[in-house]
Structures are given as structure tokens and as C-alpha cells.
Amino acid sequence: MSSRSCVTALFLLALAGTAPGGDTPAPGAIFADGFETPRIAPEGFRDCPECPLMISVPGGEFTMGNLASASQSDERPLRVVTIAPLAVSVFEITWREWELCVEASRCDPEPVEEAGGDEGFGRERRPVLNVSWDDAQDFVTWLNRRTSRPYRLLSEAEWEYVARAGTDTVYAWGDDGPVACAPAVTNAASFAASPCNGPDRVGSYGPNAFGLFDVHGNVFEWVEDCFNDSYVGAPADGAAWLDGDCATRMVRGGSHASPSSSLRVSNRAGLPRGARDERVGFRVVRHD
């Protein structure tokens, strides 16, 4: 089997599984503009009124990869990575934010709509779906022009650092698996559980210790890196790894349809950069 076939098969395996049924978490409060807030109001900033809400994350060192004794080979070898201070979008990029890029004629809606659009899940403050890696790059380019700030996708190392938020456990909240369809509260695994029936409104579950929402579940998130099947030779400074199979890019975090194994903070999957899937979206980062 070719490398491309292998990585696509791994991604499809990561998508396997269906969240149990149940009630969708109740909506939070309402913004003055009519859009729902998360129940827990995060602190952050915006570089323009319509820009993604960002939060500053301190730099530091962390051990990247699967810390368990039995782990998948693509999550090793363990290595210490240094991350510079950065600002990360509090939420995954939403339909509302994507459509602003479309309105500015900087993002092409046609391929996204042809791929299924929102798949009937709803838009506004739900994460944008069916966007390719290249679509995400178009959004970042628009955001850079709109703000004159250096936005981009996170590197794999940055993604794992901000998702771990200082922890060394299987999930950001600990080692126990997530509780699907849990209320939107901050305790234990509830903030990362897969929503009941597709991607939920961003912020329906509580944040991790860095103030980021939905780093586990909701949608997989495109990152900058090319596909490599281990960490041998990977950068140690947090930069994106731009060697390897660059026709395939990495996605992290799992989705609303993922089994708990794919929601692990160290779990990796690759997908052809032009692929569009209802379980894949993205978030953004910038350095000052």
C-alpha cells in the first residue's frame, strides 16, 4: 500500500465511530448582535471587529508525543519541543467568520458548498466544515490582509502544546475517556466530549487550562505540517515540518464522530491537502 493510501486509511479509521445519542447542550447567553456566546465567557482580543477571538498563550517546553508505554509509532519518538509565546484562536473558525472571507471575495465558497456545505448541521457559530487545507490558507491570507498581522495555521507542535495546556495526560483533562453529550460545564471530560449529532456551536463545552475550546472533538483541525509517519527528524523549535509528503497535511484533535482513541491529545492523522470532509475544520495562530 502506498504512503498516501496508508495515511488516508489512518484518517478514515480515526473518523470511525459514532457519538451516542442524547440532548444537545443548552445554548448560552446571547451577544448584542444576536449570536450565542459560550456559557463560559473567555478572555481574549480581536484584531478587528469581525476577526476571530484570540487568546495569548505563554511559551515553554513540553514533551511531544504519546507518553504511554504502548503507543502508535507515528507518535514517537518522544522529544522536547520549545514553543515561543503565541496567540491562538479561542474557537475553531466558524461559518460566520468563513462567510466574511467569502463576502470579501478572498475565499471561494463553491467547492465547499459542492462538498456538502454545513451538511445540514447549521452555520453561524458552528465550525466551518468541508474546507480543504488550501481553503484554510485562503482564509489566513484574507485575515493577514485584513489585519496586517502574521496569521497562519498552527504547526503540529504548537497544536499539541496548546491542546495539552501544561498536562501530560491522555486528554487535556486527564486519562479517562470523554463523556459524550455532557452538559456545558468545566469539570472533567465534559468540555471535550463529542457532540451528540454533529458539530456543536463553538464554546458549548468548557475550555482547557489555556482558555481554548474544542481542542478535542467537534472537528478535526488542519495544521501546517506535511505528513511524516514518525517524529524522527522533526523540528524541535515548534516550527511546522515542511519536509515529507507535502501533498498530505496533518489534522489534529478528532471530531464529533471520532472514537475516544482519536480524541487523544497526541493522536495524529493525515489527509490530502485538497480533501474536504464534514469532520474537518481549522483554527488559527499568530506571533507578534
Side-chain angles (χ1 to χ4, degrees):
M1 184 180 291
S2 69
S3 172
R4 181 74 53 79
S5 298
C6 286
V7 73
T8 302
L10 285 172
F11 177 74
L12 292 175
L13 179 62
L15 294 179
T18 301
D23 295 331
T24 301
I30 303 295
F31 276 123
D33 63 7
F35 292 103
E36 294 174 353
T37 70
R39 288 191 175 195
I40 304 159
E43 296 181 359
F45 64 91
R46 300 179 193 271
D47 286 325
C48 67
E50 68 274 23
C51 288
L53 182 66
M54 307 293 288
I55 196 164
S56 296
V57 173
E61 290 186 344
F62 81 112
T63 300
M64 185 175 182
N66 193 323
L67 306 178
S69 57
S71 64
Q72 299 183 37
S73 61
D74 67 334
E75 299 170 19
R76 286 185 175 257
L78 297 179
R79 61 208 182 88
V80 175
V81 181
T82 302
I83 303 294
L86 66 170
V88 185
S89 56
V90 172
F91 308 116
E92 294 157 335
I93 299 303
T94 64
W95 278 102
R96 181 185 176 213
E97 290 160 343
W98 167 259
E99 287 166 352
L100 289 169
C101 182
V102 170
E103 290 170 9
S105 299
R106 297 296 182 181
C107 291
D108 185 357
E110 187 171 347
V112 176
E113 299 304 329
E114 288 178 350
D118 66 5
E119 304 287 350
F121 296 131
R123 301 200 176 197
E124 302 297 352
R125 290 192 59 79
R126 282 181 169 80
V128 64
L129 318 171
N130 284 312
V131 285
S132 68
W133 185 88
D134 293 298
D135 294 328
Q137 296 295 333
D138 289 342
F139 181 89
V140 167
T141 299
W142 165 71
L143 201 53
N144 289 341
R145 290 174 175 171
R146 175 68 181 83
T147 65
S148 298
R149 298 281 190 169
Y151 283 88
R152 55 176 173 77
L153 298 182
L154 286 81
S155 70
E156 264 204 283
E158 289 169 337
W159 189 95
E160 189 164 323
Y161 176 75
V162 301
R164 285 189 180 280
T167 67
D168 59 4
T169 48
V170 175
Y171 308 95
W173 64 82
D175 291 324
D176 293 333
V179 180
C181 304
V185 293
T186 57
N187 64 294
S190 61
F191 64 81
S194 298
C196 306
N197 298 299
D200 215 334
R201 294 176 296 274
V202 297
S204 292
Y205 301 87
N208 70 8
F210 279 158
L212 303 183
F213 290 71
D214 307 318
V215 291
H216 302 272
N218 226 20
V219 290
F220 278 93
E221 299 174 14
W222 288 110
V223 293
E224 195 73 26
D225 303 50
C226 302
F227 172 74
N228 287 276
D229 61 6
S230 78
Y231 287 138
V232 175
D237 62 356
W241 197 1
L242 300 181
D243 294 324
D245 177 5
C246 292
T248 301
R249 299 288 174 150
M250 304 305 295
V251 292
R252 300 295 297 258
S255 78
H256 60 89
S258 297
S260 59
S261 61
S262 294
L263 298 174
R264 294 176 301 106
V265 71
S266 62
N267 186 64
R268 307 173 70 219
L271 197 62
R273 60 185 287 170
R276 294 182 173 84
D277 192 281
E278 68 179 47
R279 290 150 289 197
V280 179
F282 65 103
R283 76 174 71 220
V284 297
V285 65
R286 76 164 172 82
H287 290 274
D288 287 323

